[in-house]
Amino acid sequence: MMNLDHALQEISAAPSLEALHTLKVQYLGKNGLVTQEMKTLGKLSPEERKEKGRALNEIKEKLTAALAAREAAIKEQALQEQLEREALDVSLPGYAFPSGGLHLISQIQKELLDIFRTMGHSVVEGPEVESEFFNFDGVNMPEWHPARDMQDTFWLQPPEGFTIQGPFGESVNDLGSALLRTHTSPMQVRYMVQHTPPFKIVVPGRVFRYEQTDASHEAMFFQLEGLVVGEGITMADLKGAITELARGLFGAEGRVRFQPTFFPFVEPGAQFAMWWPERQKWLELGGAGMVHPNVFKAVDDYREKLGLARAYEGVSGWAFGFGLERLALLRYGIPDIRYFYQQNRLSFLRQFRN
Ligand code: DAH
């Protein structure tokens, strides 16, 4: 006969569900101790059977109850351990998900375009790989013109079969060498060939100069070009637009100053500065003027060559162009233009996170 106390002790000390299962099989399984005892009942006399049967049933009930109790206890303990293990400490700091931001120059470009959009300008863009014709000849800078010296140029040797396309997709390979545009002014010619006045546009974009870089010179930078053409357009319209630009950038106190200067594509030409109220100083920003008749003529000649009607006789227009980095350098007191691209220092750029 088995020892009930020993069995109960074993059960209450079972360390795991597996151990408990083994005990259950050992006592109550098909070949278990209690089951075997039950099988002997048939050989007993009725009284003995009755008595032993009751005793065995009692044992069986006690074992069953003990097994169930131990099983519940083991499960409860496992749950507690799991809860402890997976406890969430809501006081810990979260993971950072760094978000990107626009480069300072992109921000300024956006700001400038918004100002001109409110004045009714459309935004257009043009190719960076450009033809000598649009970059120079078309804007009144023929090959012999000394002004070409001011814009040191990256000349390109395109691979066999490469074509530079004009405004309508036509090849312009025969009009000069390929180059990286030195300013955004070639888009004046491209746009005028393709459209008839009146119109107002601005052209943002990358330009390239073959220059030694230093604190204020980069081989690549951004410009914004403006062009307005129509009947009766005057220098007063130009001054009004640039004044509006100054107010957009520097608030109601923004003012502009024009000083006569020479650019081949304008006559008269001017350089303009903006008054920076906060610092009480002038920022020398860019060039502007009334579109030179030779530019209109180059456009009309090109149109005629394509079979289009001349469209720029009897109209006038103004244009401007300036560098975005220069505006950023002055406005934010940044000491070195190389911070923007060459070094591309995140610690620097993050200061201007928008
Ligand atoms: N294209 C000139 C440059 O890059 C800037 C400029 C001056 C543009 C006068 C203009 C202008 O449209 O009228 O230096």
Side-chain angles (χ1 to χ4, degrees), residues 165-227:
Q165 298 184 348
F168 293 98
E170 70 283 11
S171 168
V172 293
N173 284 7
D174 56 329
L175 293 182
S177 305
L179 48 75
L180 291 180
R181 67 176 175 193
T182 57
H183 51 180
T184 40
S185 304
M187 259 315 274
Q188 290 192 23
V189 183
R190 283 180 175 271
Y191 191 86
M192 286 195 278
V193 164
Q194 219 183 354
H195 301 82
T196 53
F199 56 77
K200 301 177 177 185
I201 59 167
V202 270
V203 187
R206 245 180 256 267
V207 303
F208 306 83
R209 303 266 172 102
Y210 183 51
E211 291 201 54
Q212 202 67 44
T213 61
D214 61 27
S216 54
H217 293 87
E218 264 283 22
M220 182 217 77
F221 56 99
F222 283 79
Q223 284 191 337
L224 184 72
E225 189 90 10
L227 178 67

Side-chain angles (χ1 to χ4, degrees), residues 21 79 81 100 103 118 131-132 138 148-149 151 187 190 192 214 224 232 242 245 296 299:
H21 183 72
L79 180 64
E81 282 170 9
H103 193 285
T118 65
S131 150
E132 182 178 3
R148 278 205 187 187
D149 291 347
Q151 302 192 356
M187 259 315 274
R190 283 180 175 271
M192 286 195 278
D214 61 27
L224 184 72
I242 301 292
L245 170 63
F296 286 141
V299 167

Side-chain angles (χ1 to χ4, degrees), residues 5 9 25 35 79 83 87 142 156 192 215 223-224 232 300 327 340:
D5 285 342
Q9 221 166 43
V25 172
T35 320
L79 180 64
L83 287 176
L156 303 176
M192 286 195 278
Q223 284 191 337
L224 184 72
D300 266 343
L327 174 58
F340 290 127

Side-chain angles (χ1 to χ4, degrees), residues 59-96:
I59 288 173
K60 198 176 163 181
E61 272 165 30
K62 282 187 176 155
L63 288 175
T64 306
L67 284 165
R70 184 59 190 150
E71 183 179 334
I74 289 173
K75 284 185 173 165
E76 171 67 17
Q77 196 189 348
L79 180 64
Q80 286 307 328
E81 282 170 9
Q82 186 190 6
L83 287 176
E84 247 165 66
R85 204 169 46 243
E86 296 174 3
L88 199 61
D89 183 349
V90 293
S91 69
L92 286 173
Y95 298 112

